[in-house]
Structure formats: structure tokens, C-alpha cells
Amino acid sequence: MATDPIFDPALLSKYDVSGPRYTSYPTAPHFQAGFGEDAWRRHARTSNDDPIPRPLSIYVHIPFCSNPCFYCGCNRVVTRDRSKAEAYLQRLAREVEMQAALFDRDRRVTQLHLGGGTPNYLDAGQLRDLANLLRSGFNLATGEEREFSVELDPRHADDALLRELVAIGFNRVSFGVQDFNPVVQEAINRIQPVERTVAVIEAARAAGFRSVSIDLIYGLPKQTVEGFAATLDTVTAIRPDRIAVYSYAHLPETFKAQRQIDAADLPTPATKLALLGTAVEKLAAAGYRYIGMDHFALPGDELVRAQESHTLQRNFQGYSTQADTDLIGLGVSAIGRVGDCYAQNARDLLSYYAAVDAGRLPIAKGYVRTAEDDLRADVIQELMCHGEVVFAEIERRHEGLDFRAHFTDALQRLAELARDGLVELEAGAVRITARGRLLMRIAAMAFDEYLARPREQQVAKFSRVI
Ligand code: SF4
């Protein structure tokens, strides 16, 4: 799937509906409170007995931020009281102890991600303590194969911190930028001068990070096509290995911080579409390849190579090159996955602390996938990562399956998308076209059994495609 996406405004407008991002299937809103600590412990221990146990992946959520960005929809706590970080790290230590006891020590951690919130709300010493803590419980990989990434706020990063993170073992970093236009930055309460951001990115490379990513957002208040084009020019000149361009979803009823944004300052739907079109055009012109959803990467990047070699994965961190791993989520709201089950920690600090202080894993809900979920997750992963599903390949992996008979309804739904030129339906395969690439989740949704349920049984609200 090496073709650049074709930006087709009419098609994008027609299919600008709400839909899951498929970082898991089923998606997190389907997790159930009936799944708790005992179930997770059972599944974790069982995973050690696989003939070849999967490597481990760890996600650590650091929820604190010192300043509220008005567009924020993350699970975060805004505070300048640094003692809160110490209290949190103490709980993380206990959680690491409990989780580490469940997994055989010889299972290597090949993927580690620190997200937030703002991971660099923690200072260099606290980040080192956290790394030592993880190392005391788990077998962290030290070779080139490791993918240890951290999200950083450039406003709070300096040379010393970057060098410390590399010394700890991190080799990937992503920086939140959103938009360099000062007018937009003021409207979103995130003042981040371009000179400072560029200097921090250069310092990250000099410190030894082997991959740098930048996150942008389109659809923010006061954003204009000209202003965003200038941001894209600045960003592509920096040549980050990866660029993510997310769509801003204005949901002030759900995310309190967004109530600070005056809806009248938001771009119109036509402008928002033009902002996306500008990003697609400029990134392609600058030599970036489209991976899928919001992600672009330089041709030599591992994500591009993984897509070419058909080994790309999609997980809770987005796209990844790591083959099937078991994921341990640490910290408030973090999600884990072992084999066929998911578990999510309590989403608020009080419940998280109460569970850990009582010596319990802070799991609030979870889900055990059925064989039908596994099959559909496989099909959706193929579409989201590789833009095609070859029926015979899926049949080979799922014994006794007759793809066409099993997915009659999904194929009927796809027939309409085929008429609009979003997918091509062949006798033994479905392929997303260049025109449909920016709408890949629409094709994936055709295979989502949960979306096909009656309206009153729908449990989730999802973001719109554009
Ligand atoms: S966008 Fe990021 S840095 Fe800003 S408040 Fe939200 S979590 Fe914190």
C-alpha cells in the first residue's frame, strides 16, 4: 500500500461520520466492570505458559500537566504542586511490584512508552527513579530492537533532561507542537515559540534519540489554511522521522477544558477539510509517506518498512513495528492487554490510590475477547495497517472459516463504499483505494459487529473521521 492518499473533499465530506480509531477491537467503551483483578492475574500467569511467551510492552501514564491546554481531551491533572508527582510515583512503585510478580522474569520488555499528561512533568531524577523501578521488576531490553518512547512537552525539556532520557534507554521521542501560529497558540493556551521547539528537537537528536516525532492538530480555534501551511513548512524543514496530524474534536460537554474555547473561533467544516488537504499535500510534497489514520513518516522510517514488509501493527499507542506483545498498563487510566483480554485501570487518582494502597491492582474494567472478536480484530488490523484483506489469508489463520459466507453483511456494506470508489471489491480480497485511504476506518467499521447492533445497545461515542 505504497500509494499516496488522494484528497477527495466530496468523499471525505460524505463519510465524515463518527467512528472508532481501532487501537483495539472491541474498543475501550466495551470493557466491562465485571472484569477485575483476579481475571487479569489469571490471564497474566497463563500467558507465561505459552510455548513461546510473547515479549512484553509497558505503557506508563503520567497524568500531570502544569498548564491546561484548552483543546485537551486527555486524562490529566493540572497542578503546580510537585509533591503530587512523588505521591504518584510511590503508588506506581507498588503497582510495578504487583504486576512484575505476575510475569516470568525472562520475558523481555521490547517496547516501553511513557505518555500523559506530560511525562516530563517529572524531573530528570524522578524519571531515572521510574526507570530503575521498571528495571527492578522487569527485564527491559537493552539492544537496538527496543522501542522505548517518551512524549515530551518542548516547553519543559532541556539538554540535560534529553541526555538523561537517552542514558535511561529511551530512543524515541515525540513532541507536541499542534500549530506554530502565535494567534492559535494563544487561543489554545499553549504558548510555544518556534525557536525554542526547534532548539529542543535539535538537542534531542544530538542527545542520541534515533527517532523524533512531531504532533500537529488541525481544526483548532483561529487556525487558517495559510497559517497551518506555514506551520507545516516549518515542521517539514525540521525533518522529523514521523509526523502525526490529528483532527481536533470539539466536545465541550465531555471535556471541561474545551469550554474555554469560543466555538465561533473554530474553523468552518470547509476550512477544516482544507486544513487536512493542505497537510496531505504538503507532507507528500516534502517526501513523507502516509501510514494510515493520522500518521506520516519518512521513507526510511521503521513504520514505512514495516508496512512494506506487511508486519505493521496497530495497538493502543497507534502504529507500531513490534510484533504481538503482551501489554502491561501502569498508572491511572492505563490499559493493558494479555493474550485475548484487556484491562483498564481506574480513571481517577482517588480510586487508583485507594486500590493500590489496599494492595490491589487498580483494575476497574476489562474484556475477554471471543473467537468472533479475534477474527474481526484480525480483519480490522489488516485494513488499518495494510489497506487490504485477502480472504484466503484470513481463512488460513481462522480454521474452518468461509470468509464470504461469514461476512455477507460486511461485504454488502462494503459494496456501497465500492460504488463511491473508497474500496475495490475483488472475488477474494477487498482493497482500500488511494481515494479511500484517509477514510480507512470507514472500511474497517463494516466489519465491526458492535456498530451493527441496534442504536439502544450502542455504548460509545466516537470522534468524527475529519
Ligand atoms: S494537551 Fe497534553 S500537555 Fe496539554 S493539558 Fe492536555 S495532556 Fe497536558
Side-chain angles (χ1 to χ4, degrees):
M1 198 177 56
T3 50
D4 285 332
I6 293 176
F7 180 75
D8 181 334
L11 198 61
L12 287 163
S13 297
K14 174 169 179 182
Y15 287 101
D16 182 18
V17 296
S18 305
R21 303 175 60 76
Y22 294 119
T23 51
S24 70
Y25 181 83
T27 49
H30 294 283
F31 298 176
Q32 293 153 0
F35 181 100
E37 180 184 14
D38 292 345
W40 175 261
R41 287 181 183 277
R42 215 170 38 249
H43 283 268
R45 290 208 180 94
T46 308
S47 71
N48 294 320
D49 300 332
D50 287 346
I52 304 175
R54 288 175 288 274
L56 297 176
S57 174
I58 293 179
Y59 172 78
V60 187
H61 192 76
I62 308 295
F64 304 107
C65 298
S66 48
N67 200 46
C69 308
F70 292 162
Y71 59 84
C72 184
C74 301
N75 188 314
R76 53 97 170 107
V77 176
V78 178
T79 175
R80 303 238 165 143
D81 177 359
R82 299 276 155 177
S83 66
K84 293 210 167 151
E86 273 307 324
Y88 188 71
L89 285 171
Q90 282 167 17
R91 272 45 173 245
L92 271 181
R94 298 194 66 181
E95 194 187 4
V96 166
E97 218 173 279
M98 287 187 270
Q99 287 281 12
L102 301 176
F103 296 91
D104 284 350
R105 178 74 196 199
D106 59 0
R107 294 179 70 179
R108 274 185 331 137
V109 176
T110 54
Q111 190 178 39
L112 168 66
H113 186 83
L114 238 61
T118 308
N120 55 322
Y121 185 90
L122 303 182
D123 62 30
Q126 288 170 323
L127 285 161
R128 178 166 282 282
D129 289 348
L130 175 58
N132 287 336
L133 184 65
L134 294 172
R135 215 166 274 124
S136 70
F138 298 98
N139 177 7
L140 299 193
T142 52
E144 277 301 297
E145 79 285 10
R146 76 190 193 282
E147 190 179 287
F148 288 4
S149 56
V150 56
E151 297 168 13
L152 293 182
D153 184 333
R155 297 170 296 176
H156 309 295
D158 58 19
D159 290 11
L161 177 83
L162 293 161
R163 283 198 300 272
E164 184 68 38
L165 286 164
V166 170
I168 286 170
F170 286 97
N171 50 16
R172 300 184 164 278
V173 56
S174 70
F175 292 107
V177 167
Q178 328 317 351
D179 193 316
F180 278 130
N181 185 337
V183 177
V184 177
Q185 291 190 352
E186 199 183 322
I188 60 174
N189 197 36
R190 187 180 171 116
I191 306 298
Q192 188 174 316
V194 58
E195 301 76 18
R196 162 130 193 97
T197 306
V198 172
V200 171
I201 291 169
E202 280 166 4
R205 287 197 173 117
F209 280 98
R210 80 161 188 252
S211 173
V212 171
S213 307
I214 286 184
D215 294 345
L216 302 175
I217 301 181
Y218 69 96
L220 292 172
K222 305 263 189 190
Q223 236 171 4
T224 61
V225 171
E226 298 71 32
F228 198 49
T231 290
L232 286 157
D233 287 341
T234 308
V235 168
T236 51
I238 303 170
R239 302 305 281 170
D241 304 86
R242 299 175 186 175
I243 299 174
V245 188
Y246 297 104
S247 166
Y248 171 61
H250 190 59
L251 300 167
E253 320 79 46
T254 311
F255 304 115
K256 219 167 141 193
Q258 296 183 357
R259 293 178 200 162
Q260 306 289 323
I261 290 176
D262 184 347
D265 289 338
L266 293 172
T268 62
T271 304
K272 194 173 179 194
L273 204 53
L275 289 165
L276 173 62
T278 306
V280 171
E281 185 190 318
K282 284 209 168 271
L283 294 177
Y288 283 85
R289 296 267 291 275
Y290 182 60
I291 301 296
M293 292 297 286
D294 330 281
H295 297 275
F296 299 79
L298 284 174
D301 187 87
E302 288 164 27
L303 286 184
V304 175
R305 294 210 300 272
Q307 195 163 50
E308 285 167 353
S309 60
H310 215 91
T311 55
L312 190 66
Q313 306 279 315
R314 189 152 173 81
N315 59 26
F316 288 107
Q317 273 80 62
Y319 287 103
S320 167
T321 59
Q322 297 279 318
D324 210 12
T325 53
D326 280 334
L327 168 68
I328 301 163
L330 300 169
V332 65
S333 78
I335 297 179
R337 178 195 164 179
V338 168
D340 60 0
C341 86
Y342 299 112
Q344 181 167 30
N345 281 350
R347 289 179 55 82
D348 65 282
L349 274 183
L350 277 182
S351 311
Y352 173 76
Y353 286 173
V356 175
D357 291 348
R360 287 185 283 112
L361 283 172
I363 292 169
K365 55 183 183 168
Y367 189 89
V368 182
R369 287 202 325 204
T370 62
E372 184 64 25
D373 292 328
D374 284 343
L375 167 62
R376 288 174 186 264
D378 193 3
V379 174
I380 288 172
Q381 167 108 340
E382 286 296 305
L383 283 169
M384 298 296 289
C385 293
H386 306 111
E388 63 176 17
V389 181
V390 177
F391 304 166
E393 277 177 22
I394 302 291
E395 285 169 348
R396 189 171 43 77
R397 294 202 286 265
H398 300 269
E399 212 184 321
L401 174 74
D402 176 339
F403 191 100
R404 294 197 74 92
H406 193 87
F407 288 116
T408 309
D409 291 352
L411 292 171
Q412 270 168 12
R413 285 193 282 273
L414 286 176
E416 193 198 328
L417 306 187
R419 278 193 288 280
D420 280 336
L422 201 146
V423 298
E424 284 168 359
L425 270 177
E426 299 170 12
V430 50
R431 297 183 212 285
I432 296 176
T433 63
R435 202 163 248 102
R437 287 198 69 200
L438 294 167
L439 292 163
M440 52 175 38
R441 62 171 142 162
I442 298 288
M445 283 160 69
F447 292 93
D448 188 331
E449 199 183 23
Y450 298 89
L451 293 178
R453 289 179 176 174
R455 205 178 178 77
E456 59 279 8
Q457 288 177 28
Q458 299 287 331
V459 296
K461 275 190 191 159
F462 298 105
S463 60
R464 292 169 83 94
V465 171
I466 309 302

